[in-house]
Amino acid sequence: MSIVISWLFDNLLVNKDSISQFDKSVYSEAYDNKDGIRCSNAWYQAFPQDIKDYESYNKLEMPVLAIGASGYDLLHHSLPEITSDLVLKKIENCGHFILAEKPIETAELIKEFLAN
Protein backbone atom coordinates (compact mmCIF):
# COMPACT_ATOMS: atom_id res chain seq x y z
CA MET A 1 0.00 0.00 0.00
CA SER A 2 1.17 3.52 -0.76
CA ILE A 3 2.75 5.51 2.03
CA VAL A 4 0.45 8.47 1.29
CA ILE A 5 -2.72 6.37 1.49
CA SER A 6 -1.49 4.79 4.72
CA TRP A 7 -0.82 8.22 6.20
CA LEU A 8 -4.23 9.56 5.15
CA PHE A 9 -6.14 6.71 6.73
CA ASP A 10 -3.95 6.62 9.83
CA ASN A 11 -4.41 10.34 10.45
CA LEU A 12 -7.76 11.39 8.99
CA LEU A 13 -10.05 8.67 10.34
CA VAL A 14 -11.58 8.64 13.80
CA ASN A 15 -12.83 5.06 13.35
CA LYS A 16 -9.85 3.29 11.78
CA ASP A 17 -11.93 0.12 11.27
CA SER A 18 -14.31 1.88 8.87
CA ILE A 19 -11.85 1.41 5.99
CA SER A 20 -10.96 -2.19 5.20
CA GLN A 21 -7.71 -3.45 3.78
CA PHE A 22 -9.55 -3.98 0.50
CA ASP A 23 -10.72 -0.33 0.53
CA LYS A 24 -7.17 0.82 1.17
CA SER A 25 -5.88 -1.28 -1.72
CA VAL A 26 -8.50 0.26 -4.05
CA TYR A 27 -7.46 3.77 -3.03
CA SER A 28 -3.80 2.84 -3.48
CA GLU A 29 -4.44 1.44 -6.94
CA ALA A 30 -6.29 4.61 -7.96
CA TYR A 31 -3.83 7.13 -6.55
CA ASP A 32 -0.43 5.45 -6.56
CA ASN A 33 0.52 6.46 -10.10
CA LYS A 34 1.48 9.65 -11.94
CA ASP A 35 -2.03 10.45 -13.15
CA GLY A 36 -3.66 9.79 -9.80
CA ILE A 37 -1.16 11.96 -7.96
CA ARG A 38 -1.39 14.72 -10.58
CA CYS A 39 -5.19 14.78 -10.50
CA SER A 40 -5.54 14.70 -6.73
CA ASN A 41 -2.95 17.46 -6.29
CA ALA A 42 -4.56 19.60 -9.01
CA TRP A 43 -7.68 19.94 -6.88
CA TYR A 44 -5.68 21.63 -4.11
CA GLN A 45 -3.63 23.68 -6.56
CA ALA A 46 -6.84 25.17 -7.95
CA PHE A 47 -7.86 26.69 -4.60
CA PRO A 48 -6.38 30.18 -5.24
CA GLN A 49 -8.22 30.41 -8.57
CA ASP A 50 -11.41 29.07 -6.99
CA ILE A 51 -11.28 31.83 -4.37
CA LYS A 52 -10.95 34.48 -7.10
CA ASP A 53 -13.75 32.90 -9.13
CA TYR A 54 -16.16 32.84 -6.18
CA GLU A 55 -16.02 36.63 -6.05
CA SER A 56 -17.73 36.83 -9.46
CA TYR A 57 -20.48 34.29 -8.73
CA ASN A 58 -23.95 35.09 -7.49
CA LYS A 59 -25.03 33.48 -4.25
CA LEU A 60 -26.75 30.15 -4.70
CA GLU A 61 -30.48 30.57 -4.22
CA MET A 62 -31.52 26.94 -3.91
CA PRO A 63 -31.35 24.96 -0.64
CA VAL A 64 -27.85 23.63 0.00
CA LEU A 65 -27.02 20.81 2.39
CA ALA A 66 -23.49 20.69 3.76
CA ILE A 67 -22.38 17.84 5.98
CA GLY A 68 -19.15 18.19 7.88
CA ALA A 69 -17.21 16.29 10.45
CA SER A 70 -13.54 17.13 10.93
CA GLY A 71 -13.95 19.86 8.27
CA TYR A 72 -17.13 21.32 9.76
CA ASP A 73 -15.53 24.58 10.89
CA LEU A 74 -14.27 25.29 7.38
CA LEU A 75 -17.76 24.72 5.97
CA HIS A 76 -19.30 26.87 8.71
CA HIS A 77 -16.93 29.69 7.85
CA SER A 78 -17.02 29.55 4.05
CA LEU A 79 -20.44 28.37 2.88
CA PRO A 80 -22.64 31.19 4.23
CA GLU A 81 -20.75 33.45 1.82
CA ILE A 82 -21.90 31.51 -1.24
CA THR A 83 -25.46 30.43 -0.45
CA SER A 84 -28.50 32.13 1.00
CA ASP A 85 -30.31 28.90 1.97
CA LEU A 86 -27.80 26.74 3.85
CA VAL A 87 -28.53 23.73 5.99
CA LEU A 88 -25.29 22.82 7.73
CA LYS A 89 -25.03 19.61 9.73
CA LYS A 90 -22.18 18.24 11.78
CA ILE A 91 -21.46 14.57 12.33
CA GLU A 92 -19.64 14.03 15.60
CA ASN A 93 -16.81 11.56 16.21
CA CYS A 94 -16.00 11.36 12.54
CA GLY A 95 -12.94 12.20 10.49
CA HIS A 96 -12.43 13.23 6.89
CA PHE A 97 -14.02 10.21 5.21
CA ILE A 98 -17.61 10.80 6.31
CA LEU A 99 -19.29 8.27 4.02
CA ALA A 100 -16.96 5.51 5.14
CA GLU A 101 -17.14 6.28 8.84
CA LYS A 102 -20.78 7.32 9.24
CA PRO A 103 -22.78 6.10 6.22
CA ILE A 104 -26.10 5.67 8.03
CA GLU A 105 -25.95 9.08 9.71
CA THR A 106 -25.00 10.68 6.39
CA ALA A 107 -27.86 8.98 4.55
CA GLU A 108 -30.33 10.04 7.25
CA LEU A 109 -29.25 13.68 6.98
CA ILE A 110 -29.64 13.57 3.20
CA LYS A 111 -33.08 11.94 3.45
CA GLU A 112 -34.19 14.53 6.02
CA PHE A 113 -32.97 17.37 3.79
CA LEU A 114 -34.69 16.00 0.70
CA ALA A 115 -37.95 15.44 2.59
CA ASN A 116 -38.14 19.13 3.47
Side-chain angles (χ1 to χ4, degrees), residues 1-7 9 20-21 24-25 28 32:
M1 179 177 3
S2 109
I3 194 167
V4 173
I5 296 299
S6 292
W7 185 91
F9 291 131
S20 70
Q21 282 304 117
K24 291 176 185 178
S25 69
S28 290
D32 200 15

Side-chain angles (χ1 to χ4, degrees), residues 2-3 15 18 29 48-50 59 61 65 67-68 76 79 81 94 97 100 102-103 107-108 114-115:
S2 109
I3 194 167
N15 176 6
S18 64
E29 181 69 26
Q49 185 62 48
D50 290 343
K59 270 192 167 186
E61 299 294 328
L65 171 65
I67 301 172
H76 186 266
L79 292 181
E81 299 295 319
C94 185
F97 298 93
K102 301 282 185 159
E108 290 299 324
L114 293 174

Side-chain angles (χ1 to χ4, degrees), residues 6-29:
S6 292
W7 185 91
L8 288 172
F9 291 131
D10 288 345
N11 291 281
L12 298 181
L13 288 170
V14 171
N15 176 6
K16 309 269 190 258
D17 295 330
S18 64
I19 302 286
S20 70
Q21 282 304 117
F22 174 77
D23 296 332
K24 291 176 185 178
S25 69
V26 170
Y27 274 95
S28 290
E29 181 69 26

Side-chain angles (χ1 to χ4, degrees), residues 59-65 82-87 113:
K59 270 192 167 186
L60 298 173
E61 299 294 328
M62 76 288 232
V64 173
L65 171 65
I82 63 170
T83 180
S84 58
D85 191 358
L86 176 63
V87 176
F113 176 77

Side-chain angles (χ1 to χ4, degrees), residues 27-63:
Y27 274 95
S28 290
E29 181 69 26
Y31 290 107
D32 200 15
N33 58 68
K34 282 177 153 181
D35 288 335
I37 293 167
R38 179 184 51 76
C39 291
S40 62
N41 286 340
W43 189 74
Y44 294 101
Q45 292 168 346
F47 277 177
Q49 185 62 48
D50 290 343
I51 291 167
K52 287 179 187 175
D53 291 345
Y54 281 133
E55 293 172 2
S56 68
Y57 297 158
N58 294 327
K59 270 192 167 186
L60 298 173
E61 299 294 328
M62 76 288 232

Side-chain angles (χ1 to χ4, degrees), residues 72-83:
Y72 176 85
D73 290 338
L74 177 62
L75 296 175
H76 186 266
H77 174 73
S78 62
L79 292 181
E81 299 295 319
I82 63 170
T83 180

